[in-house]
């Protein structure tokens, strides 16, 4: 505990040098949010909604992992909750311990990750404490954020697009020692400069979702959005959709924002969107029952879109709800258009009428997180104030279970942050001039 206090004191002192950071004593252990391997069956027989992350997520003291080549230990000031945190906590679609076991068989270094506990978290903002052999781009004391792409790059497959590496994993989900902790273990090529105008919690919040939205919508590896495109965005005020909405607006496209209530519609309006569909108010029911969809509702939904676009269909559908919406997404996409999907939060087994796909030459593109270059570009846009964090609420590390439950039940807007070493919100800003310029946008999801 004494070592942790000294690390925090060093971070809070702007005059601490790299040499002083390097000389700090590292603790033997630190606090982290974990799952326990012996509890994998605790929710057996329950419906997804009835599984409570507060019961499975633990705040534990764990041993500091050994630092390997090409790696860094980072003091985590803040992190965030993602849907992969929720999936992990309810052991769906599989227990993450299966990921750790598989990774552990890869090499002696990877074996460190196969533990009876799993430290979760795929976002962080913090300060580098130590770097391993072969790391030259980063040094102790550097203020950083981390993207969650973990790759080995020993196969040729990943050298054109690192997301195609056969050993590609999501850090803090498919690896151990993630960001919901006081200290995290990362590969050094996960590190990027912390945006100077943001607080620790704000800087931690974009990571996973911002990079995912960038690849899915902007990159040529995803939909390759261009100026003038009509882009249908499901969950447009949510953790992922809020970034898609910003990218559509910033790129000269026309977002058609689908939300679940009036409050979320107002958030989209505040971001600058004009075409908004409140699916609850409209009462769309795409499924007649568990096994049969209702094409008439697809058609009604398409009619609403044309109402908002002056008679045009959508060029791109930004898909992530999955089963509940996928049939409608395929239907409403224009001839030659693209449905790009990165998740299935409402169910993985999709059904759609293939006639509307093949006869209209539409495409379905799978998109997963982002490669290093895409993540760097997405973070650069945050750092320049072109894209803004969508943080709505911040919890303490001990409250991560409640934060995950709120995300699980869709009670949140934008992104939910978690303070790790940071003793309070509002710390970490070093560029006050840029912050003042964008303060309204930064606080938009907080209702301030």
């Amino acid at each position: 505990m004494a070592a942790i206090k000294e690390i925090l004191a060093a971070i809070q002192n702007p005059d601490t040098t790299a040499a002083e950071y390097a000389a700090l004593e590292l603790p033997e252990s630190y606090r982290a949010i974990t799952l326990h391997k012996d509890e994998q069956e605790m929710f057996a027989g329950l419906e997804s909604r009835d599984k409570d992350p507060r019961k499975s997520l633990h705040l534990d003291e764990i041993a500091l992992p050994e630092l390997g080549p090409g790696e860094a230990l980072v003091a985590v000031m803040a992190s965030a909750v993602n849907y992969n945190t929720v999936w992990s906590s309810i052991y769906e679609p599989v227990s993450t311990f299966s990921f750790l076991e598989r990774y552990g068989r890869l090499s002696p270094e990877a074996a460190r990750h196969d533990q009876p506990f799993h430290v979760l978290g795929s976002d962080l903002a913090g300060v580098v404490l130590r770097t391993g052999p072969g790391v030259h781009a980063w040094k102790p004391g550097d203020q950083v954020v981390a993207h969650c792409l973990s790759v080995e790059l020993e196969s040729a497959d990943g050298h054109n697009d690192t997301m195609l590496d056969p050993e590609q994993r999501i850090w803090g989900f498919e690896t151990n020692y993630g960001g919901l902790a006081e200290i995290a273990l990362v590969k050094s090529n996960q590190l990027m400069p912390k945006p100077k105008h943001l607080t620790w919690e704000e800087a931690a919040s974009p990571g996973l979702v911002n990079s995912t939205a960038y690849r899915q919508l902007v990159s040529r590896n995803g939909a390759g959005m261009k100026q003038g495109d009509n882009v249908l965005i499901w969950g447009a005020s949510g953790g992922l959709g809020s970034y898609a909405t910003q990218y559509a607006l910033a790129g000269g496209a026309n977002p058609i924002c689908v939300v679940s209530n009036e409050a979320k519609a107002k958030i989209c309006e505040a971001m600058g969107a004009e075409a908004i569909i409140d699916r609850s108010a409209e009462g769309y029911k795409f499924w007649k029952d568990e096994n049969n969809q209702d094409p008439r509702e697809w058609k009604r939904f398409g009619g609403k879109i044309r109402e908002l676009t002056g008679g045009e269909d959508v060029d791109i559908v930004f898909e992530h709800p999955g089963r509940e919406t996928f049939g409608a997404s395929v239907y409403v996409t224009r001839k030659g258009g693209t449905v790009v999907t990165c998740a299935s939060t409402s169910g993985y087994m999709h059904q759609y009428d293939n006639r509307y796909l093949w006869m209209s030459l539409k495409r379905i593109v799978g998109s997963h997180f982002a490669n290093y270059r895409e993540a760097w570009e997405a973070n650069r846009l945050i750092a320049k104030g072109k894209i803004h964090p969508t943080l709505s609420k911040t919890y303490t590390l001990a409250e991560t279970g409640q934060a995950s439950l709120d995300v699980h039940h869709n009670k949140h807007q934008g992104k939910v942050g978690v303070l790790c070493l940071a003793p309070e919100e509002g710390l970490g800003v070093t560029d006050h001039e840029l912050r003042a310029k964008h303060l309204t946008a930064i606080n938009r999801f907080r209702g301030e």
Side-chain angles (χ1 to χ4, degrees), residues 138 143-148 188-195 207 211 372 374-380:
W138 304 97
Q143 295 192 355
V144 295
V145 292
H147 68 76
C148 61
S188 65
N189 59 15
Q190 290 178 239
L191 299 177
M192 303 180 294
K194 173 193 172 290
S211 300
Y372 189 11
E374 291 160 342
W376 189 279
E377 287 295 320
N379 185 64
R380 175 175 171 268

Side-chain angles (χ1 to χ4, degrees), residues 20 75 86 111 129 154 162 230 239 248 250 330 337 372-373 383 386 420 434:
E20 288 171 332
V86 176
L129 294 176
E154 292 190 303
T162 44
N230 290 316
V330 171
Y372 189 11
R373 180 62 183 175
K386 303 293 185 182
C420 298
L434 184 61

Side-chain angles (χ1 to χ4, degrees), residues 410-442:
N410 197 29
K411 292 181 178 179
H412 69 303
Q413 291 195 131
K415 199 70 184 287
V416 169
V418 176
L419 297 179
C420 298
L421 281 176
E424 60 189 35
E425 297 181 55
L427 305 176
V429 177
T430 55
D431 187 339
H432 294 277
E433 183 178 350
L434 184 61
R435 182 176 182 82
K437 183 178 178 181
H438 297 294
L439 191 59
T440 299
I442 291 169

